[in-house]
Amino acid sequence: MNPHQPFIFNIRQDEIDTLKHLQKLLNNHKFLQVIQEGRKARNKYPRIFFFYTIPSIAYSLTNRLEDAFQLLKEAEQNFPDSSEVMYQLAKIHEDIMEYDEAEKYYKKSYEGTPADHNDARSECLNDLGALYWKMHRKDEALESWKLALMEDPKNIMAQNNLRDFTNEYGEPSAVAPIMDDMFHFQNIQMVRYFHSKNLTEFQSMEEADKIMRLISDAWNRNIVPEKKKLDSSIAYEKTKWFESIEINFDDEPMTDEEKSKLFKSSHHKTSDKLLSKKKKKYQPLGKKILSKEEIEIEELRQKFPYLPDNGLFAVTIAYPFLMFAGMNIKRYKKILLKGTDEEEEQDMLLWAYDIGITLFESFFEEDGEDAEDLVNEALEIAAEHLDGDEIEKAFEISMKAIQDLGKELE
């Protein structure tokens, strides 16, 4: 609850006492009592919006989201100028993943909160920033947290969010350090392209696809082979390096064959050390399955002779990368059922295997630096076919699946 909602009317002592009682019940997790006594309080004191918002929180915390929503919509009709009602409506819309509506109500709550209630206005902006981050509107998230701190410099949550989600370049942080670098390079080159064409945004999807592929090609040609330099440079040095790389935006992007050749000649080759670690850690899982389902495993070997044992396990982990690379779920399921003779699809499955097994190894790697190296390697492999934003989204989904699997194996 937004704790600093101003009263726009005189409130009697009995109403104050009832409000304090409900708040105490809520704090003590007496949710059913809050709901029941809140209903009585609304009938007795219909002019006080807190007797709507406090029970709505109790509904939400007991996963009765529809009840919370209906109660708050009723409150909105009765108290259209209440910033607290707008705030709770924002929360409930966020809970049911109606993010556009949540954004609208956070803004209404902020605009309806008096200017001298800086802490309440700051809290609202902080929550709006968190919503923007969920929506992958990350620049707006950082801006919202900065505005929250302008309202209230002591807002600890906004301080933490701004610190935790800002990278060394002062830009929104990515899911892995190498992607911070990739996005920074991408931003520099996009600004350069827009400036050269006197534009502020792409004019078509075709234009955006071409330019982003050219930027990705430049990254793979110039940055990926220089991993040691990238790791040892500070932000200022990397920025100057990225700015020094010129891209001819009138060129055509690399073909898949050209990218494959480039990638195989540089970082696509896995080190002997990594291969030995994979065999050591991954093979016992395969032996366990073989001992139980030999016939099924043999069928899989015949269907997917180009994949290592348990290769489909790693491919499944990396399916989000395949999805962003253009393989729809219907075709993927058909391949799992019948296999594929298409060389391009076989190459894509091998590409996904390399990503999946490397991410899997990174999760169980006890050495932090080795784990980070494995993640970076997986992301570099992904960059063969995907741009930075696609990689980030796929990475988040795949790592969530690996984390869930890890919990099951504990």
Side-chain angles (χ1 to χ4, degrees):
M1 181 176 68
N2 191 329
H4 302 286
Q5 168 67 37
F7 292 102
I8 58 174
F9 42 73
N10 293 323
I11 183 168
R12 301 193 306 265
Q13 187 60 48
D14 58 334
E15 294 169 330
I16 292 175
D17 291 341
T18 303
L19 177 59
K20 288 181 177 179
H21 175 64
L22 275 185
Q23 186 64 57
K24 184 177 180 180
L25 288 175
L26 184 68
N27 293 341
N28 291 330
H29 297 176
K30 306 292 185 180
F31 301 131
L32 183 58
Q33 282 184 260
V34 172
I35 292 167
Q36 292 173 338
E37 296 191 27
R39 187 180 301 115
K40 296 176 184 177
R42 285 194 299 279
N43 292 330
K44 189 174 182 179
Y45 310 115
R47 66 196 187 101
I48 299 182
F49 53 77
F50 282 121
F51 295 139
Y52 289 81
T53 57
I54 293 177
S56 78
I57 296 171
Y59 276 132
S60 294
L61 291 174
T62 53
N63 207 32
R64 295 170 62 179
L65 300 182
E66 182 61 30
D67 290 326
F69 181 79
Q70 293 302 327
L71 183 57
L72 288 169
K73 292 304 287 184
E74 182 181 343
E76 182 182 20
Q77 290 201 353
N78 295 336
F79 308 97
D81 298 322
S82 168
S83 60
E84 174 64 19
V85 171
M86 300 303 113
Y87 181 82
Q88 295 302 334
L89 275 165
K91 286 291 186 185
I92 196 66
H93 278 292
E94 186 173 355
D95 287 343
I96 61 179
M97 294 186 287
E98 292 181 351
Y99 294 151
D100 289 338
E101 287 295 298
E103 177 189 7
K104 180 179 76 175
Y105 281 106
Y106 275 129
K107 288 181 176 179
K108 281 187 176 184
S109 178
Y110 173 74
E111 292 163 0
T113 304
D116 59 343
H117 287 72
N118 302 92
D119 46 358
R121 289 164 66 87
S122 178
E123 179 185 355
C124 192
L125 288 170
N126 176 67
D127 290 348
L128 179 60
L131 175 71
Y132 282 145
W133 194 267
K134 283 184 184 177
M135 298 170 75
H136 289 277
R137 293 163 59 178
K138 296 184 175 181
D139 288 315
E140 291 172 271
L142 296 193
E143 185 63 25
S144 192
W145 289 325
K146 290 175 185 177
L147 291 173
L149 290 174
M150 289 176 65
E151 289 281 2
D152 179 14
K154 295 180 181 179
N155 187 329
I156 299 298
M157 290 298 296
Q159 290 176 15
N160 291 343
N161 285 333
L162 192 59
R163 180 197 65 216
D164 294 342
F165 295 104
T166 303
N167 64 25
E168 61 181 321
Y169 303 109
E171 298 168 347
S173 60
V175 293
I178 193 172
M179 296 191 70
D180 286 329
D181 297 325
M182 189 185 301
F183 283 141
H184 188 54
F185 178 80
Q186 185 181 91
N187 290 337
I188 288 171
Q189 298 299 338
M190 283 174 61
V191 168
R192 181 174 290 167
Y193 171 74
F194 290 143
H195 180 74
S196 70
K197 302 295 183 182
N198 196 26
L199 297 171
T200 58
E201 60 184 13
F202 293 118
Q203 303 302 295
S204 67
M205 289 299 296
E206 291 77 13
E207 177 192 19
D209 180 65
K210 176 186 175 182
I211 299 307
M212 297 310 294
R213 287 171 64 191
L214 285 170
I215 293 173
S216 178
D217 292 346
W219 171 267
N220 289 327
R221 281 197 190 101
N222 298 282
I223 309 301
V224 170
E226 301 289 341
K227 185 177 183 301
K228 288 184 179 179
K229 179 179 178 180
L230 193 65
D231 291 342
S232 62
S233 299
I234 61 175
Y236 172 78
E237 294 169 336
K238 286 186 281 190
T239 297
K240 300 302 289 184
W241 177 22
F242 296 166
E243 290 174 341
S244 72
I245 295 171
E246 299 283 345
I247 299 175
N248 183 352
F249 293 110
D250 293 323
D251 277 350
E252 289 299 318
M254 285 193 292
T255 64
D256 288 342
E257 184 179 354
E258 289 171 331
K259 285 194 289 187
S260 181
K261 288 180 180 178
L262 172 68
F263 206 60
K264 287 177 181 177
S265 67
S266 55
H267 289 276
H268 192 51
K269 295 179 180 179
T270 308
S271 67
D272 291 339
K273 178 182 177 182
L274 181 59
L275 282 171
S276 66
K277 289 171 69 176
K278 285 179 181 176
K279 288 180 180 179
K280 181 179 178 180
K281 291 185 176 181
Y282 194 60
Q283 200 61 27
L285 184 61
K287 288 180 179 177
K288 183 178 180 181
I289 296 174
L290 276 170
S291 66
K292 292 183 177 180
E293 302 177 11
E294 291 182 351
I295 296 177
E296 183 178 342
I297 292 299
E298 186 58 35
E299 288 176 350
L300 289 175
R301 282 177 177 166
Q302 293 177 9
K303 199 182 299 182
F304 303 99
Y306 45 87
L307 288 178
D309 284 351
N310 286 320
L312 285 184
F313 167 79
V315 170
T316 300
I317 286 174
Y319 172 69
F321 294 88
L322 286 171
M323 177 182 68
F324 283 107
M327 182 178 288
N328 64 50
I329 187 66
K330 186 176 181 180
R331 178 57 188 159
Y332 177 66
K333 288 181 176 179
K334 189 172 182 179
I335 290 173
L336 293 184
L337 185 65
K338 298 183 178 181
T340 177
D341 294 325
E342 296 290 332
E343 185 175 347
E344 184 177 348
E345 289 182 333
Q346 293 179 1
D347 288 344
M348 292 302 292
L349 292 179
L350 281 167
W351 171 74
Y353 168 81
D354 286 345
I355 296 171
I357 194 62
T358 308
L359 288 178
F360 183 76
E361 290 293 334
S362 75
F363 183 77
F364 292 98
E365 176 57 63
E366 295 179 359
D367 185 283
E369 290 187 5
D370 286 349
E372 184 176 342
D373 286 343
L374 287 167
V375 169
N376 290 341
E377 180 183 349
L379 299 179
E380 288 170 3
I381 295 169
E384 182 181 0
H385 293 290
L386 302 179
D387 64 30
D389 193 45
E390 293 168 332
I391 294 171
E392 182 171 27
K393 292 174 183 177
F395 178 81
E396 288 178 349
I397 299 170
S398 291
M399 288 307 295
K400 175 65 167 58
I402 293 172
Q403 289 164 3
D404 290 343
L405 177 62
K407 290 177 183 177
E408 291 180 12
L409 294 176
E410 287 178 354

